[in-house]
Amino acid sequence: MKFDSQTYLLTDKGRFGNITLVMGIIGLMLSIAAWLIDSEQFYHSYLTSFVFWITIALGGLFFVMLHHLVNANWSVVIRRFGESLMMTIPFMAILFIPIIFGIRELFDWSDAELVASDHLLQGKAGYLNIPFFIIRTLIYFIIWTGLALTLNRLSMKQNISANFEQIKKMRIISALGMILFGFTLTFASFDWLMSLDAHWYSTIFGVYIFSGSFLAMLSLTTFIIIRLQNYGVLTEAITKEHYHDLGKLIFAFIIFWGYMAFSQYFLIWYGNIPEETIWFLHRWEGSWKIVSLIIVFGHFVIPFFVLFPQGAKRNKIVMTIMTLWILLMHWVDIYWLVMPSLHPHEIHPTWINPAAFFGIGGIFLYIFWRFFTRHPLVPINDPNLKKSIDFIS
Amino acid sequence: MSNKVIKTVGAIARFRGTGHLLEAATRMQESGYKKYDCHSPFPIHGLDKAMGLKRSSLGWLVGLAAIIGTTGALALQWWTASIDYPLVISGKPLFSYQAFVPVTFAIGVLLSAFTALIGMLAFNGLPRFNHPVFNSDQFKGVSDDLFFISVEVNDPQFDETRTIQFLESIGGTNCELLQENEE
């Protein structure tokens, strides 16, 4: 990998693109085999991995919109990471197609016989039915793709000639986009994850998914930056001060995630209504109890104390380990949300999980890398670029 | 009026901008001055480093307050709810730690916030009514567009003529001694 620190272009893109593409293709081929062997397990594993990667892409969209909305200076050098992550969204829409075929095996509410015998599901049938589910998913992807493409187009125009009109436009789009993002992410998480257990409901669920989503995006970005800097890429533009700020955001969102997770649990525990508590009861049975405890400690307690000191956020080794750990925990979190609907009593580890994970992940990272390396790695004409490079946390 | 004694309490010099102030602060630190301070209209990144200031130990104090606050709050709720006045609420166990989390969290935050504020004021020697730097007329400009370094008289290296000379040598202008009337 070779990097030109004058033009911020990668002159030699290295093998990362090829490795991820091969990884993705092998993973998806194994996933097809898995579908032939055990289609129900495949659909659940695929949904888990799909949600893992789409939440990171949506975290990227959120990062870019937040950056424009508050006119941030420090994150200009990091903006391209968010932009390249959000540009995977249109491709993720294509990767959603298998889930549409799996609706009948994933979601109880799609079973007409079951609905006929279940009064609660009949009441929800106006919302939870296959055509409306597909229409809603289509709307989410149209909104996300529209936002991502527009923001990316304006940002790429900046490379050629920058003016304040573009910045103003990006800010207006971000302001409206934030509102749309809030609604779409909430309903997408209701549809794709919460409706797996169609009786259960939690109004905070969307925020819970969002907190994990942005946390995972920040962790992946920090990890990629550290890896790239080992190859001498962006070593002058991104400094310890930026790590410190990314670390602070990661730390804040660990707390925010914990706050949301506890709030969700706390109200259901307090209310003690059977149709709500059953969801947590399932996740406190057999080996699921261990997974629940791993999430409490691994997703909150351990990262909270490790990232507490200032020195930890400025230390590349600590941040490498913690960002990977948080990404793993984000996956465990989604696994914990999805899988109990298939294996209600015991966890059931299978090779299909990593196959789907690396299949979607390989394609995701390949597309990310293609968009990321096509242009200068920072917005070279952004008026705030100098401020961002000189930034002191 | 006649028995008033004028006493020197420090020296002050004006600097042209953030760059000069940072440079001068480094020189001050190198030359071994201890009781000096930099004044600017806005916070300057890196000034603490240039002055060689150590990290404040306030963080440890706040951390201690947080531990006391959380354990104290949890202990209070445990003792009142399950020992002193046991009361079964909606069939839940007497010590339902879930229900105690919000109060534990809130009191932990409250005590740390108070410690941070009061500790910060105490470490800064605040509140106080006046400071000798305000005896200088030019010092009013520090809230507008001027940058200063002040040296206190109880610095071991302080000497009325040599300190002024030194302040001039590191680029200070409008150097003057800070004086106070003493009965």
Side-chain angles (χ1 to χ4, degrees):
Chain A
M1 210 174 287
K2 276 204 190 74
F3 178 64
D4 184 350
S5 60
Q6 294 301 309
T7 58
Y8 292 105
L9 275 166
L10 269 187
T11 45
D12 174 13
K13 292 175 187 171
R15 287 173 311 177
F16 184 74
N18 294 335
I19 292 169
T20 49
L21 186 62
V22 170
M23 186 173 92
I25 290 168
I26 293 173
L28 286 182
M29 271 167 20
L30 285 171
S31 300
I32 293 168
W35 176 69
L36 293 169
I37 297 164
D38 183 352
S39 65
E40 212 177 7
Q41 175 66 51
F42 160 76
Y43 282 127
H44 283 83
S45 302
Y46 191 87
L47 180 68
T48 309
S49 300
F50 180 83
V51 170
F52 176 89
W53 291 107
I54 190 78
T55 47
I56 291 176
L58 291 171
L61 178 63
F62 178 79
F63 184 87
V64 174
M65 289 196 295
L66 188 66
H67 170 92
H68 291 312
L69 197 57
V70 301
N71 194 20
N73 289 332
W74 75 275
S75 49
V76 173
V77 289
I78 295 161
R79 203 175 86 200
R80 282 278 185 268
F81 290 90
E83 283 173 353
S84 310
L85 286 173
M86 76 184 179
M87 285 309 284
T88 59
I89 291 173
F91 299 89
M92 292 305 275
I94 298 164
L95 287 172
F96 190 82
I97 292 168
I99 297 171
I100 290 175
F101 287 106
I103 290 175
R104 284 179 193 285
E105 300 196 43
L106 282 165
F107 302 105
D108 285 343
W109 51 259
S110 62
D111 186 344
E113 266 178 46
L114 193 76
V115 173
S117 65
D118 192 320
H119 185 69
L120 210 61
L121 290 186
Q122 280 168 26
K124 294 185 179 185
Y127 182 83
L128 289 177
N129 58 66
I130 294 172
F132 194 29
F133 178 91
I134 296 169
I135 290 168
R136 281 198 308 271
T137 299
L138 209 61
I139 292 170
Y140 306 148
F141 275 108
I142 287 169
I143 289 172
W144 296 335
T145 308
L147 286 171
L149 290 178
T150 328
L151 286 171
N152 190 62
R153 189 172 46 86
L154 285 166
S155 178
M156 290 306 151
K157 267 191 189 167
Q158 255 190 349
N159 282 348
I160 302 152
S161 70
N163 57 50
F164 280 97
E165 280 303 302
Q166 296 157 345
I167 293 176
K168 233 166 105 184
K169 248 188 209 167
M170 288 196 277
R171 192 170 307 160
I172 292 165
I173 292 165
S174 301
L176 296 169
M178 274 294 182
I179 300 166
L180 291 171
F181 179 84
F183 280 109
T184 46
L185 184 67
T186 304
F187 281 100
S189 61
F190 287 179
D191 289 359
W192 301 345
L193 296 171
M194 206 166 91
S195 80
L196 284 164
D197 189 344
H199 286 182
W200 186 71
Y201 56 91
S202 162
T203 42
I204 212 172
F205 198 75
V207 191
Y208 176 75
I209 295 299
F210 160 73
S211 58
S213 147
F214 194 49
L215 179 60
M217 178 268 168
L218 290 168
S219 300
L220 184 69
T221 304
T222 311
F223 178 72
I224 294 173
I225 291 171
I226 295 172
R227 292 298 304 154
L228 281 176
Q229 290 201 327
N230 285 351
Y231 290 98
V233 179
L234 288 173
T235 41
E236 283 158 40
I238 299 177
T239 62
K240 273 211 167 135
E241 308 296 331
H242 296 99
Y243 285 116
H244 191 181
D245 256 31
L246 283 167
K248 278 189 274 189
L249 267 177
I250 290 173
F251 182 65
F253 269 79
I254 286 166
I255 299 170
F256 185 60
W257 178 90
Y259 190 73
M260 287 304 122
F262 180 75
S263 301
Q264 177 168 281
Y265 168 73
F266 182 52
L267 291 190
I268 289 171
W269 172 84
Y270 227 131
N272 214 2
I273 300 166
E275 68 208 53
E276 287 182 354
T277 49
I278 187 81
W279 193 82
F280 278 107
L281 213 60
H282 277 317
R283 283 156 181 79
W284 204 244
E285 261 176 34
S287 41
W288 283 114
K289 188 173 177 174
I290 299 162
V291 181
S292 298
L293 287 170
I294 288 173
I295 290 173
V296 171
F297 285 93
H299 208 311
F300 177 68
V301 179
I302 295 169
F304 177 83
F305 284 106
V306 172
L307 290 178
F308 199 86
Q310 195 187 65
K313 301 178 191 103
R314 299 173 80 95
N315 184 312
K316 280 190 184 184
I317 298 164
V318 175
M319 286 307 277
T320 308
I321 296 166
M322 283 324 288
T323 49
L324 278 179
W325 175 255
I326 291 164
L327 286 169
L328 174 70
M329 280 303 127
H330 182 55
W331 185 84
V332 174
D333 184 22
I334 292 167
Y335 182 80
W336 178 80
L337 295 171
V338 172
M339 279 305 168
S341 90
L342 180 64
H343 308 292
H345 305 296
E346 297 291 328
I347 61 163
H348 182 70
T350 157
W351 60 273
I352 300 172
N353 290 318
F357 179 83
F358 289 109
I360 301 174
I363 302 294
F364 178 91
L365 290 172
Y366 173 73
I367 294 161
F368 160 78
W369 189 245
R370 277 295 296 269
F371 275 101
F372 185 64
T373 54
R374 216 164 56 172
H375 305 282
L377 304 189
V378 298
I380 38 171
N381 290 332
D382 193 290
N384 288 328
L385 179 63
K386 178 84 173 62
K387 272 189 201 164
S388 179
I389 293 171
D390 296 340
F391 162 79
I392 291 175
S393 173
Chain B
M1 291 297 279
S2 57
N3 57 356
K4 258 186 186 172
V5 181
I6 292 175
K7 193 184 140 204
T8 302
V9 287
I12 192 169
R14 193 196 281 185
F15 292 85
R16 263 174 298 162
T18 51
H20 286 103
L21 193 68
L22 280 170
E23 213 175 286
T26 317
R27 295 284 301 278
M28 290 294 289
Q29 187 207 337
E30 282 165 3
S31 64
Y33 278 98
K34 295 273 178 282
K35 302 250 174 196
Y36 69 99
D37 205 355
C38 300
H39 311 270
S40 88
F42 46 79
I44 300 171
H45 279 305
L47 190 58
D48 45 350
K49 218 174 176 183
M51 288 173 71
L53 293 181
K54 287 196 191 75
R55 259 181 77 104
S56 166
S57 53
L58 185 59
W60 294 103
L61 207 63
V62 176
L64 194 69
I67 292 167
I68 293 170
T70 45
T71 49
L74 198 61
L76 176 72
Q77 291 175 92
W78 160 77
W79 185 72
T80 49
S82 52
I83 307 278
D84 190 44
Y85 201 87
L87 202 59
V88 176
I89 298 165
S90 63
K92 291 185 162 63
L94 289 174
F95 180 67
S96 298
Y97 63 90
Q98 293 96 333
F100 301 157
V101 168
V103 173
T104 307
F105 170 74
I107 291 186
V109 169
L110 189 72
L111 204 64
S112 341
F114 276 137
T115 311
L117 177 68
I118 296 166
M120 181 274 289
L121 291 175
F123 281 20
N124 283 318
L126 291 170
R128 60 184 291 173
F129 296 115
N130 193 25
H131 192 276
V133 285
F134 296 121
N135 296 348
S136 159
D137 282 334
Q138 57 169 339
F139 192 74
K140 287 190 182 98
V142 80
S143 63
D144 183 11
D145 59 351
L146 299 182
F147 302 83
F148 294 95
I149 286 181
S150 65
V151 189
E152 284 177 34
V153 75
N154 49 6
D155 189 288
Q157 287 198 47
F158 190 86
D159 179 275
E160 289 193 12
T161 45
R162 267 186 293 154
T163 300
I164 292 285
Q165 273 169 7
F166 179 74
L167 284 170
E168 272 168 355
S169 75
I170 60 173
T173 56
N174 298 47
C175 299
E176 59 171 312
L177 288 171
L178 296 169
Q179 283 168 331
E180 214 167 49
N181 292 330
E182 205 171 61
E183 295 295 322

